[in-house]
Amino acid sequence: MPLILPGNVASATAAAGYDVANSVRLNNADSPKLAKTPGGAGNRRTWTFSCWCKKDYADASNLLCLFGSRVDGSDNVHFGFNGDQLELKIEISDTVTRVKSAAFFIDCSSWYHIVAKVDTTQATAANRVKLYVNGVVISHFATEQYPAENGDTSTNNACAHTVGDSGNNSHYFPGYMAEVCLIDGSALAPTSFGEYDSDSPSIWKPIDVSGLSFGTNGFYLDFEASDNLGNDANGGTDLDETNLAATDQTTDTPTNSFATWNSLTNRDAGNGTWTEGNLRVVASGGDMSRFCTLPIPLNFKFYFEVKAPIVGAQAGCGVTTTHDTNGARNKVGENNGYGWKFRGAAAKVQYYNNGSSSNHSSNNVSNGGIVGFAVDTANGRMHMHIDGTYLDSSDPTDNDPNSVVTGFSTTVTQYLSMSMDTSGTTEPINEFNFGNPVFSISSGNSDANGYGNFEYSVPSGYLALCTKNMADF
């Protein structure tokens, strides 16, 4: 099934058709949702829900809900990933029906386009519910039960409608959502919301939905107003926001996917708790590491930041050619990696070159300090600054060899990795910023192509790690 993969977007300098500007980041631990209750009933038999989403993690046992509508425990709808299988459950007067995919959707690096098309007026039972992923209809099911002909669902009734939750405050979706649409009164195909790319016909991409007829109780969430993430861009009643903040608006979208840390590459995942769209981690109990969702193109220079309130532990970032989470320890620099590490109670800086290390005893990272990384894969170098001051006054723009990790391959694809280590007596926190910070930015700097939001200036020639920037490489 075609996915929204790295490199699917046009270059930053080329015309690229329709662009999605924003998404919302839903942090499962906060119990976030958007909700409204329509003032009256619309069409309860015929409707469509469509959204784009990027999951934080695979979950084999729980329901991660994208949309719900609920009158009570015997009259409700939920739609989302149930044990990583796509499921639409419709309960009408205590009669429960489910359509659940046989396929599992576990990818945490790509954007999915998800559509539920419902029309209970259809005489053929199998035509009353259709589910689609990235433009393709689901035809193989683990569970296949259809609502009764002319059944009145809770959707478009005068009851609570929720995005990011099932409606009973217990099944929150962890990840990113964009271009959320509820269509009241029409059963629409996915071609109303997306299309195949003309240059890469296996790639499904968004189209402008602003001209659709959303009906009486339908809505369109584009998340372009950071102070009103529940704004209905179609002009209807806005959705109320619960446990969402302005920093939950992101530019990580189906048309420009930014790097995060990939939950499928966990090493010793029990030693770290990840939140905020895989950008914030609290480590405890021992070693843990992850790899980035985007492989680094050759001849590419990129910049990112880490807010590092570190006490009594180790944390680092680096590059490696070994994308492996099994067997030997894959902490930054301890096998074949190249990178920087903040070590010990004073957060002293060490750098690693293919396993060998050296201390920068005079350079400490304070709690809450911002550490910047400028990674140059064209020359095999990595520069680092602490609160804007590059170590040993190195200059990432002139290939200065001072205070850089140097010598990693310029001909083999590198993977960005991170690691943390704590004995359990402390819980160090790292917050990563690839361009969509989870913490407040006091200044605000983008790269030369206008992407990303960083605390410190992006060095000339360096870019945010996102698919728009990577496409030229």
Side-chain angles (χ1 to χ4, degrees):
M1 184 171 292
L3 299 176
I4 302 299
L5 295 170
N8 72 305
V9 293
S11 72
T13 56
Y18 181 70
D19 273 327
V20 178
N22 295 105
S23 69
V24 65
R25 179 169 50 217
L26 301 171
N27 182 33
N28 185 285
D30 294 338
S31 302
K33 66 179 180 180
L34 300 111
K36 75 173 180 179
T37 299
N43 192 324
R44 298 167 59 189
R45 300 177 180 180
T46 305
W47 52 270
T48 309
F49 179 81
S50 167
C51 74
W52 297 77
C53 65
K54 185 164 77 168
K55 299 174 71 176
D56 276 5
Y57 52 79
D59 192 325
S61 59
N62 290 312
L63 172 63
L64 311 177
C65 204
L66 299 165
F67 170 72
S69 58
R70 184 178 180 86
V71 175
D72 53 35
S74 62
D75 186 3
N76 55 81
V77 167
H78 76 227
F79 180 47
F81 298 98
N82 192 350
D84 295 319
Q85 295 161 277
L86 192 64
E87 177 183 83
L88 175 64
K89 187 206 84 168
I90 297 175
E91 184 169 5
I92 302 173
S93 300
D94 277 332
T95 299
V96 177
T97 58
R98 282 185 170 87
V99 177
K100 185 176 183 179
S101 70
F104 291 75
F105 299 94
I106 65 171
D107 191 353
C108 302
S109 63
S110 303
W111 281 87
Y112 290 110
H113 180 222
I114 308 294
V115 175
K117 182 174 75 171
V118 176
D119 186 357
T120 67
T121 68
Q122 294 291 318
T124 302
N127 290 335
R128 294 173 200 154
V129 172
K130 296 286 187 182
L131 305 183
Y132 303 84
V133 179
N134 295 337
V136 178
V137 67
I138 291 177
S139 57
H140 299 284
F141 301 97
T143 303
E144 190 173 8
Q145 305 163 339
Y146 296 98
E149 185 174 0
N150 294 319
D152 287 320
T153 73
S154 59
T155 300
N156 293 319
N157 198 359
C159 65
H161 288 54
T162 53
V163 171
D165 176 46
S166 64
N168 63 351
N169 301 317
S170 59
H171 302 295
Y172 299 99
F173 175 76
Y176 302 78
M177 294 183 70
E179 296 290 281
V180 176
C181 299
L182 176 64
I183 307 295
D184 177 353
S186 299
L188 300 182
T191 48
S192 294
F193 311 96
E195 65 183 4
Y196 286 107
D197 186 83
S198 58
D199 295 325
S200 302
S202 65
I203 298 298
W204 185 254
K205 65 181 185 179
I207 60 174
D208 187 355
V209 300
S210 60
L212 294 177
S213 296
F214 290 83
T216 302
N217 292 326
F219 53 79
Y220 168 35
L221 304 180
D222 62 7
F223 306 113
E224 292 188 13
S226 63
D227 60 344
N228 184 14
L229 292 171
N231 176 59
D232 182 358
N234 184 53
T237 303
D238 293 346
L239 279 69
D240 295 326
E241 306 155 34
T242 300
N243 299 326
L244 290 168
T247 52
D248 293 316
Q249 181 199 52
T250 86
T251 57
D252 188 339
T253 73
T255 55
N256 192 17
S257 187
F258 278 74
T260 63
W261 296 107
N262 195 339
S263 59
L264 298 181
T265 65
N266 279 343
R267 177 188 172 275
D268 295 327
N271 294 332
T273 300
W274 286 85
T275 56
E276 300 291 355
N278 286 331
L279 294 173
R280 184 181 191 271
V281 61
V282 180
S284 62
D287 301 339
M288 55 85 62
S289 64
R290 275 191 182 186
F291 291 92
C292 184
T293 52
L294 301 180
I296 305 166
L298 299 177
N299 298 313
F300 186 67
K301 298 179 180 181
F302 67 96
Y303 175 82
F304 67 99
E305 295 175 342
V306 184
K307 185 177 183 181
I310 296 170
V311 179
Q314 303 177 39
C317 287
V319 294
T320 177
T321 58
T322 305
H323 195 287
D324 175 26
T325 58
N326 298 313
R329 298 170 70 181
N330 234 327
K331 289 163 57 180
V332 171
E334 292 192 4
N335 286 334
N336 62 347
Y338 297 79
W340 296 97
K341 182 177 291 182
F342 332 119
R343 187 181 185 94
K348 305 257 183 221
V349 174
Q350 284 184 314
Y351 69 84
Y352 284 83
N353 285 307
N354 201 26
S356 63
S357 64
S358 179
N359 289 317
H360 281 263
S361 59
S362 62
N363 297 105
N364 299 345
V365 182
S366 62
N367 287 353
I370 303 293
V371 180
F373 292 87
V375 184
D376 178 359
T377 67
N379 296 291
R381 299 183 183 278
M382 181 184 297
H383 301 250
M384 173 183 164
H385 75 67
I386 299 174
D387 294 327
T389 301
Y390 281 89
L391 268 61
D392 292 345
S393 302
S394 71
D395 184 351
T397 66
D398 66 359
N399 204 24
D400 183 348
N402 289 332
S403 186
V404 294
V405 173
T406 182
F408 59 84
S409 176
T410 61
T411 60
V412 178
T413 297
Q414 301 287 326
Y415 296 94
L416 183 65
S417 64
M418 62 74 59
S419 68
M420 298 183 75
D421 179 12
T422 173
S423 64
T425 58
T426 57
E427 293 188 344
I429 303 168
N430 270 3
E431 296 176 319
F432 297 89
N433 180 15
F434 292 104
N436 290 284
V438 299
F439 50 88
S440 297
I441 295 293
S442 61
S443 52
N445 296 278
S446 61
D447 66 20
N449 290 329
Y451 301 126
N453 180 21
F454 301 100
E455 183 66 53
Y456 292 95
S457 296
V458 180
S460 178
Y462 289 75
L463 300 171
L465 192 56
C466 61
T467 53
K468 284 270 192 184
N469 284 333
M470 292 167 61
D472 286 331
F473 294 85

